[in-house]
Amino acid sequence: MSRIAYVNGRYLPRHAAMVHIEDRGYQFSDGVYEVCEVRAGRMVDERRHMARLQRSLSELRMGMPMSAAALGLVMRETIRRNRVRDGIVYLQVTRGVARRDHAFPPAGTAPAIVITARNLDQATIERTASDGIAVITVPDNRWVRVDIKTIGLLPNVLAKQAARDRGAKEAWFVDAQGMVTEGASTNAWIVTAGGTVVTRPADNKILRGITRSVLIDALAEQGLAFEERAFTLDEAFAAREAFVTSASQTVMPVVRIDGRSVGNGAPGPVATALRRNFHHHSEWV
Ligand code: PLP
């Protein structure tokens, strides 16, 4: 089946879906994006994703390209046209097309919108989750506003490739203070020897993951001990469990960090249960 992309008001076959060479996303990474999980054909946690999109745009002094409700409709139509059942929908908004100049383009320049959707191989993801993943660590060399979900992801690209080169699935950024910030495309969590679930506060050194925020609500509902604080790499080495979260993988157990086993080297019971129950806590539209 040929895939369809939404590009600036039109649904186009993927081979014909193009953006302009002077799109500011292409030239300056001047844009933001969202990735929502699709489950049983329905978008997961749309409300939270739209709120984050609105915040990212406003931090870059951009407006919503259309109302959140209208964007939701287009995303659902893109999901439908691509017959996505379990996968992701990707949305990107840039500051539009204009002659190359670092400062903002003239007022009235239309933003450029691209939406794509695809199925993900759930059997492979489940197999990965039951094995758990290895992560490596890299110095956090990103700018100080990674709370904005911009399409400028070069450090994340390099970190993910470093992980791949070392046979791992994810890279954790570690800041100059020796604290783990987050993964290249995930938020980072540990479960301490005492059984407390820990993740870094949503400051400007991490992306405010939607999966992260849903999981924090889930932990409260399940009465699990939880601390929102930065943790060191040494704490992660000594943790009973570790895991990462993202919209495309929900809760993914981590079984090795820089080649050292976490806990007994197998996915732990807390991460496994949180993964199993995650969708009882998320909102499906
Ligand atoms: N941190 C980074 C750097 C990410 O790129 C992502 C997802 O793309 C996340 C965290 C997880 O965010 P979410 O749960 O909204 O997918």
Side-chain angles (χ1 to χ4, degrees), residues 123-163:
T124 303
I125 296 174
E126 281 311 318
R127 232 181 356 259
T128 305
S130 63
D131 292 344
I133 63 164
V135 305
I136 61 154
T137 61
V138 293
D140 197 339
N141 57 358
R142 300 174 299 163
W143 77 322
V144 292
R145 291 304 311 276
V146 298
D147 56 308
I148 308 170
K149 198 166 170 66
T150 80
I151 55 175
L153 291 171
L154 201 42
N156 311 56
V157 167
L158 295 173
K160 193 73 97 174
Q161 185 58 40

Side-chain angles (χ1 to χ4, degrees), residues 8 94-97 106-112:
N8 296 324
T94 73
R95 209 184 298 273
V97 173
T109 301

Side-chain angles (χ1 to χ4, degrees), residues 32 53-54 56-67 71 93-95 111 113:
V32 302
L53 174 68
Q54 207 147 11
S56 295
L57 287 166
S58 120
E59 292 296 312
L60 298 186
R61 296 165 57 191
M62 292 168 68
M64 285 284 273
M66 59 178 91
S67 70
L71 267 182
V93 182
T94 73
R95 209 184 298 273
I113 313 173

Side-chain angles (χ1 to χ4, degrees), residues 33-35 49 52 142 146 149 153 156 173 182-187 206-212 245-248:
Y33 74 108
E34 278 297 326
V35 178
H49 282 282
R52 184 172 65 183
R142 300 174 299 163
V146 298
K149 198 166 170 66
L153 291 171
N156 311 56
F173 290 115
E182 64 178 336
S185 62
T186 56
N187 288 116
I206 66 163
L207 181 75
R208 299 163 185 208
I210 302 304
T211 320
R212 173 189 179 282
T245 54
S246 71
S248 57

Side-chain angles (χ1 to χ4, degrees), residues 48 187 189 208-218 245 278:
R48 295 191 204 220
N187 288 116
W189 305 67
R208 299 163 185 208
I210 302 304
T211 320
R212 173 189 179 282
S213 67
V214 172
L215 203 66
I216 289 174
D217 292 350
T245 54
F278 180 78

